[in-house]
Amino acid sequence: MCAAKNTDPRIQVVAYNEDTYILRENPCVNWEAPFTYLLFGNHGALLIDSGATPEGSYYPLRVTVDEILSRWCGIRRKKSVPLTVVLTSGEDIAQNQGIGQFADRGETRLTPLELGARMEFHGLSSSWKQGLGRIDLGGRVVEVIPTPGTHKDGLSFYDAYTCLLFTGDLLYAGRVQIANDRDYVASLERLQQWKQSHAVKWVMGGHIEMMFIPGRGYPRFSTNRPFEHVLELEAGTIDEAAEHARGVVGKPAVVFRKDFILLNRVSPDEKVYQDAPNLPLVPVPYWVSLQ
Amino acid sequence: MDMKLPVDLKSLDRRTFLSLPVVSVVLPAVAAAMTPEAEAMSVPAAPAVQNGPINFKAGVPAPGSFPEKWICGSSSCMDNHDPPIQVHWYNEHTVLMRQNKAYSFEAPFLHLYFGNERILMIDQGYTQLRTDWPLRDVVDGCIAGWCAKHGRKVEDMELLLAFTHLHDDHYVGINQFYDRPNTRYMGQTHEEMIGFWGMTHYPEQRVALDLGGRNILIWGNPGHVFSEFAYYDTYTQILHTGDMFYRGRCYISFWDKWFTSMKRLMAFLEDHPVTWVVGCHVEISRTGQDYPYGITYQPDEAPMHMPVEVLKHAYEVAKTITKPGIYFTGSVFLCNETRNATTVDKIAYAYD
């Protein structure tokens, strides 16, 4: 189908539960099709990530968040609730572009984008990689876990209420481009430890780029993905990614796994198609995957 | 005024048979209109007559112009308000078209050459369904407009659908034409393609297609793929090098064949004037920035048409290339036996 004639909503909204919303940018607005999460507690709302498009007319994130927020206030008998906007990475242009839409919004705290200021915002100033931040939404605490590796300023967020772990670019069903392999392994190992002491129901990434065919990813920039992998990954995926990332530290490599692909020290266009001997080769007509 | 030659059924051999649709042998065969180039070129030019045949041989090269800017996508595909197909009349007998990037990121260029008896369309774009992308309607509109302006009947003009090569971004739109009357298709195998042009010695052999006073010279131009053709319009003197050479990443699958094709193009330039070299895509900015494979917005695109010097310079660069890799000539990327879809992208967020 032609992206120009797409009639899907610009932002798909899924209510995970009454206090947790999953928003997805339409790939026909931006191919990155990032996921954004909106969580509510008794005294505050938290928006994790902000999408790939600054223009509110193309990608009405602010309007959508405001509507969900006022609807939620109605359900919960609140007059209003303050909003905090945070990012899994301040530098990621697939996630930081929508934040400007909230610039003039009242009762709103926005994360800074620059690494130092951002860590200060989360109370992670000194030796931030070992630190742990907290965002208290009122009866619902979201913990902030530094996880650099795909971005030098990467953060993951853990919500103890839903037991969801929001990992952004660090781990998702797609072509994970490692930016620093030592940091990447260290961050996954930290998440491995985390899940020893905290229940992790699902790992929720920032994108989907895999097909539901094992080891097959959509190429970059595709605007139509008719048979996509699901968003949520099992907690065990963290172990799998850690194991395979350890194996490629220091080496240019592409690792094909059933649910994700790791790209280390190679161009983002390296090996667009699966050629992993360990996975079944399911032929996909390549025009289906490209258009 | 109808100059069509009857088909001599007795002369049907395998080659001409392949070039004829089985169900419509009464149509004139393209092969029947094909003659060795020297012979075709010696046909005396018909005098220009008001409302009569158009003289495509006087005043060549026919002047023409390229658009200031081609449509080049948009930051949000679903907010793209450009036409599905940009139609540009290079001159009153030559149409250049481009597919909108929000309909296919490949955004291929398509050509329509009008002659007194036939119309040649080179490539049909990347979208199969007419309901998704109205190529057929746009082409029919161009033909109807041209016929009205030049006193012809649409049903008298044969449309020839040809390809630069058999990659899907260049041929799948042909499906929109299968029910069109008086329309011929090049075929989708190597044998059918060379048979369509009556070639017996691919790729060296150069043939002349007579569109009715307007000759198109055609020869083999392999390298990107095995079956590939170069087209030279004697009227505009535009040389079309398809995906073998264009302003972007020339994916060279077979270096030896490609380099031989380059030598053939250099030899062609020796005795044929060329106004512009054109290709099927643009994948590079005015400043030489590579637009990665698959991207749907190229805001500062380089022009599609290239001066002959760009081709000549690439040949000089190519002479020095001895192993696989990506080589930038200053105007185009030569991707020598790299993977298709290779770009020159770096890891955006890498850090130490």
Side-chain angles (χ1 to χ4, degrees):
Chain A
M1 268 309 287
C2 305
K5 297 204 270 190
N6 186 283
T7 52
D8 291 335
R10 292 167 183 276
I11 301 176
Q12 180 182 12
V13 180
V14 171
Y16 181 80
N17 59 35
E18 281 195 325
D19 308 293
T20 310
Y21 297 82
I22 303 170
L23 283 65
R24 190 193 199 180
E25 181 165 355
N26 187 328
C28 294
V29 174
N30 187 293
W31 68 275
E32 295 266 16
F35 286 87
T36 295
Y37 301 95
L38 182 58
L39 317 180
F40 292 95
N42 287 314
H43 309 309
L46 179 69
L47 185 68
I48 302 174
D49 283 334
S50 71
T53 302
E55 297 91 345
S57 54
Y58 298 163
Y59 175 61
L61 180 65
R62 161 81 182 270
V63 172
T64 306
V65 167
D66 282 351
E67 280 173 7
I68 298 170
L69 202 133
S70 80
R71 183 180 171 280
W72 181 88
C73 285
I75 293 169
R76 294 289 184 224
R77 304 279 187 269
K78 309 265 185 205
K79 239 179 96 190
S80 71
V81 64
L83 176 69
T84 304
V85 182
V86 297
L87 298 170
T88 52
S89 161
E91 68 178 8
D92 183 5
I93 55 161
Q95 292 291 11
N96 69 12
Q97 293 294 297
I99 201 163
Q101 295 182 24
F102 298 88
D104 58 346
R105 193 179 183 279
E107 274 198 299
T108 305
R109 283 177 74 221
L110 301 181
T111 177
L113 299 188
E114 188 271 319
L115 190 147
R118 204 159 143 263
M119 294 310 153
E120 205 172 310
F121 180 85
H122 289 295
L124 292 165
S125 292
S126 62
S127 64
W128 63 272
K129 286 185 192 176
Q130 280 75 50
L132 183 68
R134 266 170 69 88
I135 301 167
D136 190 346
L137 301 176
R140 186 176 188 180
V141 173
V142 174
E143 279 160 298
V144 186
I145 313 164
T147 49
T150 49
H151 293 283
K152 63 177 181 292
D153 62 353
L155 296 176
S156 293
F157 297 87
Y158 176 75
D159 170 32
Y161 174 54
T162 54
C163 299
L164 297 181
L165 178 65
F166 302 101
T167 49
D169 272 2
L170 188 81
L171 187 56
Y172 65 98
R175 298 160 55 78
V176 177
Q177 181 87 50
I178 298 172
N180 178 301
D181 46 20
R182 291 178 311 279
D183 270 4
Y184 187 70
V185 169
S187 291
L188 286 175
E189 286 174 348
R190 177 150 193 205
L191 292 183
Q192 280 183 296
Q193 283 170 14
W194 185 266
K195 75 184 173 70
Q196 300 296 317
S197 51
H198 299 77
V200 174
K201 171 80 177 163
W202 299 114
V203 174
M204 309 290 274
H207 308 268
I208 301 172
E209 290 156 7
M210 300 300 284
M211 304 178 191
F212 64 59
I213 294 162
R216 286 293 296 250
Y218 285 101
R220 288 194 298 161
F221 309 111
S222 53
T223 54
N224 182 26
R225 305 172 198 169
F227 30 86
E228 240 181 19
H229 193 284
V230 294
L231 168 64
E232 66 275 18
L233 297 174
E234 290 178 15
T237 314
I238 298 170
D239 303 320
E240 189 184 346
E243 182 197 332
H244 287 90
R246 270 193 293 270
V248 297
V249 171
K251 290 184 279 197
V254 181
V255 180
F256 290 90
R257 300 302 300 166
K258 184 164 74 65
D259 300 312
F260 60 89
I261 300 169
L262 298 179
L263 292 93
N264 190 38
R265 302 185 183 217
V266 296
S267 158
D269 67 45
E270 183 77 15
K271 288 185 184 166
V272 175
Y273 302 109
Q274 172 216 314
D275 59 357
N278 57 318
L279 294 166
L281 186 65
V282 181
V284 178
Y286 90 95
W287 60 89
V288 171
S289 61
L290 285 177
Q291 285 209 309
Chain B
M1 116 123 230
D2 186 354
M3 302 293 163
K4 281 175 200 160
L5 299 168
V7 179
D8 179 0
L9 290 171
K10 273 180 250 166
S11 73
L12 275 178
D13 54 19
R14 175 169 164 74
R15 183 157 54 75
T16 48
F17 174 75
L18 279 173
S19 74
L20 284 171
V22 181
V23 294
S24 57
V25 286
V26 290
L27 287 177
V30 172
M34 303 297 308
T35 47
E37 184 200 334
E39 209 179 306
M41 298 304 279
S42 69
V43 172
V49 179
Q50 196 74 22
N51 292 325
I54 298 150
N55 185 347
F56 290 102
K57 296 193 173 147
V60 293
S65 66
F66 294 94
E68 200 62 31
K69 194 169 169 61
W70 289 100
I71 58 172
C72 55
S74 52
S75 62
S76 166
C77 288
M78 69 187 289
D79 295 286
N80 189 305
H81 303 301
D82 293 329
I85 303 155
Q86 180 178 6
V87 176
H88 176 77
W89 290 82
Y90 176 81
N91 59 34
E92 62 174 333
H93 307 300
T94 309
V95 181
L96 307 176
M97 289 172 276
R98 186 185 207 184
Q99 183 161 9
N100 184 324
K101 268 192 165 281
Y103 290 72
S104 163
F105 73 86
E106 290 279 10
F109 290 89
L110 322 173
H111 294 213
L112 210 50
Y113 298 127
F114 290 87
N116 281 308
E117 292 152 36
R118 295 181 186 81
I119 305 157
L120 173 67
M121 183 176 190
I122 303 174
D123 287 350
Q124 288 80 40
Y126 206 177
T127 305
Q128 198 167 33
L129 297 179
R130 191 172 175 178
T131 44
D132 282 348
W133 184 59
L135 176 66
R136 166 74 184 276
D137 307 83
V138 166
V139 170
D140 281 354
C142 287
I143 293 172
W146 185 88
C147 286
K149 196 170 167 191
H150 299 285
R152 313 298 164 95
K153 288 187 189 139
V154 170
E155 55 270 29
D156 290 342
M157 299 296 297
E158 185 179 51
L159 176 62
L160 307 177
L161 301 177
F163 315 119
T164 54
H165 64 296
L166 283 181
H167 271 162
D168 44 6
D169 50 328
H170 303 276
Y171 74 76
V172 301
I174 200 168
N175 281 280
Q176 302 188 20
F177 294 85
Y178 282 146
D179 60 346
R180 193 181 186 280
N182 207 9
T183 302
R184 300 281 316 277
Y185 320 102
M186 191 173 177
Q188 295 184 1
T189 62
H190 178 68
E191 289 71 20
E192 286 171 288
M193 298 217 298
I194 59 171
F196 194 70
W197 300 134
M199 289 177 180
T200 50
H201 296 90
Y202 176 89
E204 300 82 13
Q205 185 183 16
R206 190 193 299 155
V207 298
L209 164 68
D210 185 359
L211 296 176
R214 181 177 190 174
N215 282 326
I216 310 291
L217 309 186
I218 306 164
W219 64 96
N221 197 33
H224 172 59
V225 292
F226 176 78
S227 291
E228 204 169 354
F229 298 86
Y231 295 84
Y232 172 78
D233 171 28
T234 55
Y235 177 57
T236 58
Q237 297 180 352
I238 287 175
L239 171 64
H240 189 3
T241 47
D243 271 9
M244 180 269 184
F245 192 80
Y246 67 97
R247 194 94 75 161
R249 296 175 300 274
C250 306
Y251 293 121
I252 302 165
S253 308
F254 310 106
W255 176 262
D256 292 345
K257 285 185 172 45
W258 185 86
F259 191 69
T260 307
S261 291
M262 279 299 264
K263 283 200 257 189
R264 206 175 289 122
L265 290 171
M266 291 304 121
F268 182 83
L269 294 179
E270 299 276 300
D271 45 14
H272 292 82
V274 169
T275 48
W276 298 103
V277 179
V278 300
C280 286
H281 306 275
V282 176
E283 293 163 352
I284 198 167
S285 79
R286 285 172 200 277
T287 56
Q289 180 206 339
D290 176 62
Y291 289 117
Y293 184 80
I295 206 161
T296 50
Y297 186 33
Q298 303 184 161
D300 186 34
E301 216 177 55
M304 177 267 273
H305 58 288
M306 297 169 282
V308 177
E309 289 66 37
V310 170
L311 182 63
K312 287 181 175 165
H313 176 63
Y315 176 66
E316 294 305 316
V317 173
K319 280 190 207 165
T320 67
I321 295 176
T322 54
K323 49 180 195 288
I326 303 175
Y327 301 86
F328 186 47
T329 71
S331 306
V332 305
F333 291 98
L334 305 180
C335 300
N336 177 17
E337 298 180 355
T338 59
R339 286 169 296 108
N340 272 12
T342 295
T343 70
V344 296
D345 255 23
K346 300 282 187 289
I347 307 169
Y349 301 107
Y351 67 98
D352 287 325

